[in-house]
């Protein structure tokens, strides 16, 4: 009997459950955010506030456009744009000091766009600003996403001197035809050298990002990417599903549907990667991450304290999240708030001394209950009904009667197990977790247009 993570998958299951569904980096999802007229973060329910803070800073600039990318980015060759942007980041930090007052900074995460667009001098200035307006906890994690095409060993040395502890390199795929199609040609040998140098410099954790479902990917070519990843021995691996939404991201229209793997092949690519990484000792984290057993992400998973936010899986479940920069999202207590997605609008709000968030959401009691259930499924493949009942003062089976009824077909297909105490997703059904979580999504089940989300498989 095979122990494949998706051993029970078959073509009919894949077709049946490959519907559009959110990635659930939050609940409710960002697509449910509404226009806000007030400073929604400052009036968040004080009983829901955390004791520590995580800081996310969005660097939107990229030198070139990767056609698959769905991130908020600005493609430019003008380095001085980053200098102007840093000035506005400081202004926003000043404006949001009240949200961080007295709270240690448990983690810093730079994403994009591409944070490696910044020069070494610009990075030095940015870290100066962070230290000026925030106080790092003694064991704070400082993470940064890097486009390896813009990085050399000297750049890594500067990041280490600035205190960064974790690096994430975008490997994506090593096949030249795939790289050419997505407009991201890069040297695998160069990336391997960067990983080696980062380890030599003493970074605590190194992550590699992979994407499955890209145009022209085949099982054989993706096996080559998997082999290259294993050879580099990163501490963590992120295995993301390509989200094909050309109506939202114009560059994706360069891909004909015929170029893309179908749902069955995508499941095979996923299955092959998962089994390959697990076979050499990586622990599976949630839906799409892997970590060595001694990595903090694996330790958090095994300790039952894994958390999921807009940056993916994280060890900082007890932190509020403060987002700085264009399009950044904050989660403070029971409130979500997002800055403008366009740079001009972001600058204008700061110049006019307005609160930066233009959309957001104050979570209702129902939102908080469903968020806990969905987060537990996404992180642990398991929900303890009694824990939810005690925390929220509900009778689980009565409260979620409709959702439990909606799970009946998944139960019949052996993809979820229900009993009086718990909901459990077996290992072989991990790939269906987004479809399972969707059954608990009150917005998706009522008025959401599901086609706005990518396919769950």
């Amino acid at each position: 009997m095979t122990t494949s993570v998706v051993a029970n998958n078959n073509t009919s299951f894949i077709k049946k459950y490959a519907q559009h569904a959110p990635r659930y980096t939050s609940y409710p999802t960002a697509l449910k955010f509404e226009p806000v007229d007030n400073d929604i973060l400052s009036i968040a329910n004080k009983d829901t506030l955390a004791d520590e803070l995580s800081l996310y800073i969005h660097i939107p600039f990229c030198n070139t456009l990767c056609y698959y990318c769905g991130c908020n980015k600005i493609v430019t060759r003008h380095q001085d744009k980053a200098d102007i942007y840093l000035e506005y980041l400081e202004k926003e930090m000043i404006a949001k000091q009240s949200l961080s007052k007295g709270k240690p900074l448990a983690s810093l995460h730079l994403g994009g766009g591409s944070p490696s667009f910044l020069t070494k001098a610009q990075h030095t200035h940015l870290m100066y600003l962070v230290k000026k307006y925030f106080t790092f906890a003694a064991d704070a994690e400082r993470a940064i996403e890097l486009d390896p095409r813009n990085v050399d060993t000297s750049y890594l040395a500067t990041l280490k001197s600035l205190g960064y502890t974790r690096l994430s390199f975008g490997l994506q795929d090593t096949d030249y035809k795939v790289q050419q199609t997505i407009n991201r040609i890069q040297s695998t040998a160069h990336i391997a050298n960067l990983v080696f140098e980062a380890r030599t410099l003493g970074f605590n954790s190194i992550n590699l990002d992979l994407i499955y479902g890209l145009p022209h990917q085949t099982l054989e070519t993706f096996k080559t990417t998997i082999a290259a990843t294993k050879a580099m021995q990163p501490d963590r691996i992120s295995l993301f599903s390509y989200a094909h939404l050309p109506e939202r991201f114009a560059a994706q229209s360069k891909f004909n549907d015929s170029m893309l793997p179908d749902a069955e092949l995508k499941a095979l690519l996923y299955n092959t990667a998962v089994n390959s990484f697990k076979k050499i000792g990586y622990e599976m984290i949630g839906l799409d991450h892997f970590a060595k057993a001694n990595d903090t992400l694996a330790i958090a998973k095994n300790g039952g304290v894994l958390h999921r936010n807009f940056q993916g899986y994280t060890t900082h479940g007890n932190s509020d999240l403060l987002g700085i920069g264009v399009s950044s999202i904050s989660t403070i207590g029971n409130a979500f708030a997002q800055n403008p997605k366009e740079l001009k609008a972001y600058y204008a709000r700061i110049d006019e001394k307005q609160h930066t968030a233009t959309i957001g959401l104050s979570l209702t009691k129902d939102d908080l209950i469903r968020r806990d259930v969905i987060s537990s499924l996404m992180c642990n493949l398991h929900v303890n009904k009694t824990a939810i009942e005690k925390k929220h003062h509900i009778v689980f089976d009565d409260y979620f009667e409709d959702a439990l009824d909606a799970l009946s077909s998944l139960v019949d297909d052996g993809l979820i197990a229900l009993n009086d105490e718990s909901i459990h997703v077996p290992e072989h059904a991990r790939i269906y977790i987004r479809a399972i979580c969707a059954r608990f999504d009150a917005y998706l089940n009522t008025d959401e247009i599901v086609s706005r989300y990518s396919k769950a498989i």
Side-chain angles (χ1 to χ4, degrees):
M1 176 78 66
T2 179
T3 57
S4 166
V5 170
V6 286
N8 285 2
N9 286 355
N10 57 39
T11 303
S12 63
F13 284 4
I14 292 168
K15 290 179 179 178
K16 187 174 182 179
Y17 298 114
Q19 75 265 37
H20 298 265
R23 293 179 183 271
Y24 292 114
T25 51
S26 72
Y27 181 83
T29 68
L31 287 180
K32 295 308 301 178
F33 292 179
E34 301 171 344
V36 293
D37 296 325
N38 54 12
D39 188 355
I40 191 171
L41 297 179
S42 295
I43 60 175
N45 186 333
K46 298 299 186 286
D47 293 335
T48 62
L49 298 179
D51 294 328
E52 62 182 22
L53 194 68
S54 292
L55 179 65
Y56 172 74
I57 300 177
H58 191 77
I59 308 297
F61 306 109
C62 295
N63 294 110
T64 58
L65 177 62
C66 299
Y67 295 157
Y68 64 86
C69 183
C71 300
N72 184 281
K73 68 275 184 186
I74 298 167
V75 180
T76 181
R77 295 283 184 175
H78 298 289
Q79 202 67 44
D80 60 320
K81 287 189 175 183
D83 290 321
I84 298 170
Y85 188 68
L86 291 175
E87 293 176 7
Y88 279 86
L89 291 182
E90 180 174 18
K91 292 176 182 178
E92 186 181 1
M93 290 178 190
I94 294 171
K96 290 183 173 176
Q97 277 187 293
S98 62
L99 296 173
S100 61
K101 188 176 182 180
K103 292 186 178 183
L105 199 61
S107 70
L108 167 68
H109 187 110
L110 263 63
S114 179
S116 50
F117 179 89
L118 300 183
T119 65
K120 290 184 285 187
Q122 288 167 338
H123 269 299
T124 301
H125 182 58
L126 177 57
M127 186 59 76
Y128 162 77
L129 295 178
V130 173
K131 290 181 177 179
K132 182 177 180 180
Y133 298 108
F134 301 91
T135 302
F136 280 107
D139 59 349
E141 178 184 84
R142 308 181 195 190
I144 182 170
E145 300 171 11
L146 299 172
D147 180 341
R149 297 173 297 175
N150 303 332
V151 176
D152 58 18
T153 55
S154 173
Y155 198 94
L156 295 181
T158 296
L159 295 179
K160 186 68 174 67
S161 71
L162 293 174
Y164 285 95
T165 60
R166 185 165 67 84
L167 306 179
S168 182
F169 295 107
L171 177 62
Q172 321 308 9
D173 191 283
T174 62
D175 183 75
Y176 181 79
K177 184 176 182 180
V178 174
Q179 291 184 355
Q180 188 177 44
T181 305
I182 64 176
N183 198 38
R184 190 186 176 99
I185 297 174
Q186 55 189 16
S187 164
T188 304
H190 173 62
I191 298 172
N193 183 58
L194 291 176
V195 171
F196 174 81
E197 290 296 333
R199 193 169 284 120
T200 301
L201 287 166
F203 286 94
N204 294 348
S205 183
I206 301 165
N207 177 79
L208 292 179
D209 286 345
L210 308 183
I211 300 178
Y212 68 99
L214 290 171
H216 298 307
Q217 273 182 340
T218 66
L219 180 59
E220 291 307 312
T221 62
F222 200 56
K223 282 181 177 179
T224 302
T225 298
I226 293 169
T229 303
K230 289 161 60 177
M232 296 182 215
Q233 286 290 299
D235 301 282
R236 299 180 184 180
I237 302 166
S238 301
L239 179 67
F240 296 122
S241 170
Y242 167 61
H244 189 58
L245 297 166
E247 66 279 3
R248 290 178 58 192
F249 308 112
Q252 293 185 356
S253 61
K254 295 179 181 294
F255 310 146
N256 297 323
D257 287 347
S258 62
M259 298 179 182
L260 301 173
D262 60 19
E264 187 175 2
L265 177 55
K266 279 191 74 174
L268 182 59
L269 297 175
Y270 174 86
N271 183 35
T272 301
V274 169
N275 290 329
S276 184
F277 294 140
K278 286 171 66 71
K279 189 174 182 179
I280 62 170
Y282 283 95
E283 291 200 31
M284 188 79 187
I285 309 293
L287 173 65
D288 48 21
H289 281 52
F290 305 82
K292 291 182 177 179
N294 62 348
D295 189 271
T296 55
L297 205 60
I299 294 170
K301 171 215 168 187
N302 294 328
V305 293
L306 189 66
H307 186 65
R308 187 164 171 83
N309 63 20
F310 291 103
Q311 280 74 63
Y313 290 101
T314 174
T315 60
H316 300 286
N318 296 320
S319 297
D320 282 328
L321 174 65
L322 182 62
I324 300 290
V326 63
S327 79
S328 289
I329 300 175
S330 298
T331 307
I332 304 293
N334 68 329
F336 290 145
Q338 184 171 20
N339 288 347
K341 297 179 182 179
E342 295 182 357
L343 195 61
K344 184 177 180 180
Y346 171 69
Y347 287 165
R349 291 191 74 85
I350 292 177
D351 286 338
E352 294 165 7
K353 293 184 169 36
Q354 295 180 303
H355 57 85
T356 52
T358 53
I359 57 174
L361 199 66
S362 291
L363 276 63
T364 66
K365 180 181 178 180
D366 181 68
D367 292 335
L368 294 170
I369 295 171
R370 293 176 184 274
R371 179 173 72 172
D372 281 354
V373 171
I374 289 174
S375 178
S376 185
L377 285 168
M378 291 297 297
C379 292
N380 307 313
L381 306 184
H382 183 88
V383 175
N384 184 318
K385 292 183 181 180
T386 303
I388 297 294
E389 289 179 333
K390 288 182 177 179
K391 179 177 180 179
H392 295 289
H393 310 291
I394 63 170
V395 177
F396 191 98
D397 287 357
D398 291 344
Y399 195 91
F400 288 109
E401 182 179 3
D402 291 345
L404 294 174
D405 286 344
L407 291 173
S408 59
S409 65
L410 289 132
V411 174
D412 293 341
D413 290 336
L415 303 180
I416 193 167
L418 301 178
N419 58 44
D420 292 340
E421 291 79 31
S422 68
I423 300 171
H424 180 71
V425 180
E427 187 71 15
H428 67 258
R430 185 187 292 268
I431 195 172
Y432 300 108
I433 191 64
R434 287 169 61 189
I436 293 168
C437 288
R439 270 59 177 177
F440 292 92
D441 189 331
Y443 298 94
L444 193 66
N445 290 337
T446 55
D447 63 350
E448 188 55 88
I449 303 172
V450 295
S451 62
R452 296 178 70 189
Y453 298 104
S454 61
K455 286 189 175 181
I457 299 172

